[in-house]
Amino acid sequence: MKVDILGLKIDDVTMDEAVKKVLGFTQSKKSHSIFTPNAEMAMAAVGNSDYMAVLNSADLLIPDGSGVVLGAKFLGTPLREKVAGIELVLSLLSSGRKLSVFIYGGKPGIAEKAAENINEKFPSINICGIIHGYHDASLEDSHIEIINNASPDFLFVALGFPKQEEWIHRNIDRIKHCSAIGCGGTIDYLAGVVKRTPKFMINLNLEWLDRLIRQPRRLGRMLRIPVFLFRCLKERLFKKHK
Ligand code: UDP
């Protein structure tokens, strides 16, 4: 089932369902896209219909973040749970299945570090290729060829939003039998250069505060979160009086 949040059609899945669905994608001949919008991304989509269409084209659109879950509640159409992209990636890596992963994105050297850590912690995972995320766009065709030659089950795309979702949307039909996930900062976490938010803060829905303390340059972008929640409340009130 999908839940409509200001035009964004989020899949109302639990983490277990999302993992099953994504592992199921690997059995299919078709390529799939998986996006993980948080409230900042949702608000960016509200202000940009092209980006909204890109996000809604996903085969799986999971609610990454307490903001999206709270927004759905404010709209009167609650989601069952938050499905954080980072948790989804970790669940896939620790599924015990023999899977190959291509890492596309991150600063030069970061994907290599992430690959080393993945090899160490998840022996069933084969990292079959790496390309950093600061190349000229003119190399896109050759990158697709390299990815297809490596034939991964999963393509982790970490280019920040909206770039990573736009990249996947533009190229998914050219990538063979692969599931592409917009991963963002998950690569930095896997590389060990960014720490996870402490559990107590996650439990208190304070990941945004942790991010703000660690990366104060995000303040401008993060102001979109209260605006997003306000828009959800307004939409609910407006609907009631229609
Ligand atoms: N990144 C990249 N190329 C770019 C922009 C970003 O490879 O042109 C990488 C960046 O190094 C980081 C990841 O994308 O590893 C996520 O970036 P950011 O922290 O900005 O994430 P967001 O919150 O925007 O998804």
Side-chain angles (χ1 to χ4, degrees):
M1 197 190 111
K2 299 255 187 196
V3 167
D4 187 329
I5 303 181
L6 306 180
L8 204 55
K9 311 284 193 293
I10 300 276
D11 283 285
D12 183 21
V13 284
T14 63
M15 177 59 82
D16 284 352
E17 288 167 357
V19 172
K20 259 191 209 135
K21 201 162 177 167
V22 175
L23 287 174
F25 289 163
T26 64
Q27 309 299 314
S28 144
K29 289 258 177 283
K30 188 183 162 277
S31 285
H32 295 82
S33 53
I34 298 130
F35 299 148
T36 67
N38 56 23
E40 280 177 60
M41 290 166 69
M43 212 45 221
V46 167
N48 177 342
S49 57
D50 288 343
Y51 187 46
M52 181 71 87
V54 166
L55 289 179
N56 281 336
S57 73
D59 295 290
L60 185 66
L61 198 60
I62 59 171
D64 175 318
S66 319
V68 174
V69 174
L70 196 56
K73 208 184 233 177
F74 284 0
L75 282 162
T77 47
L79 289 156
R80 279 178 292 162
E81 65 183 51
K82 176 178 82 178
V83 182
I86 189 166
E87 297 293 346
L88 176 65
V89 165
L90 289 172
S91 299
L92 296 171
L93 293 175
S94 58
S95 69
R97 301 239 192 136
K98 284 206 171 314
L99 296 167
S100 57
V101 173
F102 196 113
I103 303 178
Y104 189 80
K107 292 201 179 93
I110 292 296
E112 283 82 353
K113 263 197 195 151
E116 257 174 47
N117 292 339
I118 291 171
N119 282 334
E120 204 175 289
K121 282 195 204 130
F122 309 104
S124 67
I125 304 296
N126 167 37
I127 302 293
C128 63
I130 289 169
I131 296 177
H132 72 70
Y134 292 87
H135 286 287
D136 193 275
S138 63
L139 293 174
E140 198 158 293
D141 288 352
S142 69
H143 289 169
I144 299 292
E145 204 179 320
I146 294 169
I147 292 164
N148 278 332
N149 286 337
S151 190
D153 293 306
F154 287 109
L155 176 63
F156 291 174
V157 184
L159 301 173
F161 84 83
K163 217 169 158 188
Q164 61 203 11
E165 292 81 19
E166 289 168 353
W167 189 98
I168 293 173
H169 179 69
R170 193 164 60 243
N171 293 306
I172 194 71
D173 290 339
R174 303 202 283 160
I175 302 169
K176 291 182 208 141
H177 321 315
C178 172
S179 294
I181 310 182
C183 279
T186 297
I187 292 305
D188 299 289
Y189 166 72
L190 289 169
V193 293
V194 167
K195 295 247 171 309
R196 266 319 288 277
T197 302
K199 249 214 155 78
F200 81 92
M201 285 185 100
I202 296 180
N203 292 341
L204 291 170
N205 292 328
L206 289 175
E207 286 139 292
W208 61 273
L209 181 60
D210 182 57
R211 282 192 117 183
L212 190 59
I213 293 167
R214 286 174 206 256
Q215 298 169 295
R217 68 182 164 86
R218 284 182 175 268
L219 177 64
R221 274 174 45 173
M222 289 181 73
L223 289 175
R224 284 178 175 158
I225 302 173
V227 176
F228 166 77
L229 293 173
F230 179 72
R231 283 287 294 265
C232 291
L233 268 179
K234 205 172 113 190
E235 174 90 3
R236 172 89 175 267
L237 291 173
F238 180 70
K239 259 202 245 159
K240 255 192 183 168
H241 292 106
K242 254 196 206 171

